[in-house]
Amino acid sequence: MANTSVFTGADGSLTLGPGVGPEGEVADAIIKEFDILTVGRVQNVRVEVTSEVHPFHEIGQRYATQLRAGNVNVRGVIGRAYVNGALLKLLLGVAANSRPAASWNQPTFNITLLLENSASPGVQNTLTLHDVKLTTWAVGIPEDDFVLESVAFQALYISVEDEA
């Protein structure tokens, strides 16, 4: 049965999990150091999946005669109202503390977004973004509003589970 429940941001949670290999080990150390398995105070989380579609046009035809599937990209952004260096370290790894002399591993981790409405027990949506790498980090310090950091990310792939 398909899930037809509606959710708000209050129904959601965002958790991090380590990836695999040496890059996953770097992320796991940062996640444990900052205790950010569950990332709190997030807002405006956006996940975007795009699939390139390539039309084939024959000479003399105005409409495409075939659409071919192309590359799929998974990316998004997370806003966070708490700045403690954790997300910046997940972007830069050891380079967040100093300038390494050589190349270093950029942390890779998984993001799980869980939407569950307490008024509808047993109904939930789970999106898991696999092998995520942060691509940008920014902080905004407004005059009289909350200080927010923002990260953009790219994931290798996404999986979804619906429970109704």
Side-chain angles (χ1 to χ4, degrees):
M1 181 172 165
N3 184 358
T4 58
S5 292
V6 295
F7 300 102
T8 69
D11 299 324
S13 65
L14 189 146
T15 58
L16 303 181
V20 294
E23 294 174 332
E25 292 171 8
V26 173
D28 190 35
I30 295 166
I31 290 168
K32 287 178 181 173
E33 175 186 355
F34 287 93
D35 192 24
I36 57 168
L37 184 65
T38 299
V39 183
R41 298 191 173 120
V42 295
Q43 66 175 25
N44 300 326
V45 176
R46 179 178 167 85
V47 177
E48 181 178 294
V49 180
T50 58
S51 177
E52 295 175 1
V53 176
H54 304 282
F56 177 76
H57 292 271
E58 293 180 15
I59 293 177
Q61 299 294 318
R62 294 188 66 155
Y63 286 101
T65 55
Q66 188 175 26
L67 297 176
R68 297 295 304 261
N71 296 332
V72 174
N73 294 297
V74 181
R75 61 176 57 101
V77 294
I78 299 169
R80 186 169 179 238
Y82 190 73
V83 181
N84 65 0
L87 295 181
L88 186 57
K89 283 191 174 190
L90 282 174
L91 170 66
L92 297 175
V94 297
N97 296 329
S98 64
R99 183 176 177 182
S103 183
W104 68 92
N105 287 327
Q106 182 178 4
T108 299
F109 53 96
N110 297 332
I111 296 176
T112 301
L113 297 166
L114 175 66
L115 294 169
E116 184 171 26
N117 185 347
S118 59
S120 302
V123 177
Q124 67 182 25
N125 288 70
T126 306
L127 291 174
T128 305
L129 307 165
H130 301 270
D131 297 328
V132 173
K133 288 191 180 209
L134 299 182
T135 57
T136 60
W137 177 88
V139 64
I141 305 174
E143 182 179 339
D144 56 352
D145 203 355
F146 296 104
V147 173
L148 297 173
E149 67 180 341
S150 175
V151 291
F153 62 84
Q154 201 160 352
L156 199 56
Y157 65 100
I158 187 170
S159 60
V160 62
E161 292 180 43
D162 292 334
E163 296 179 26

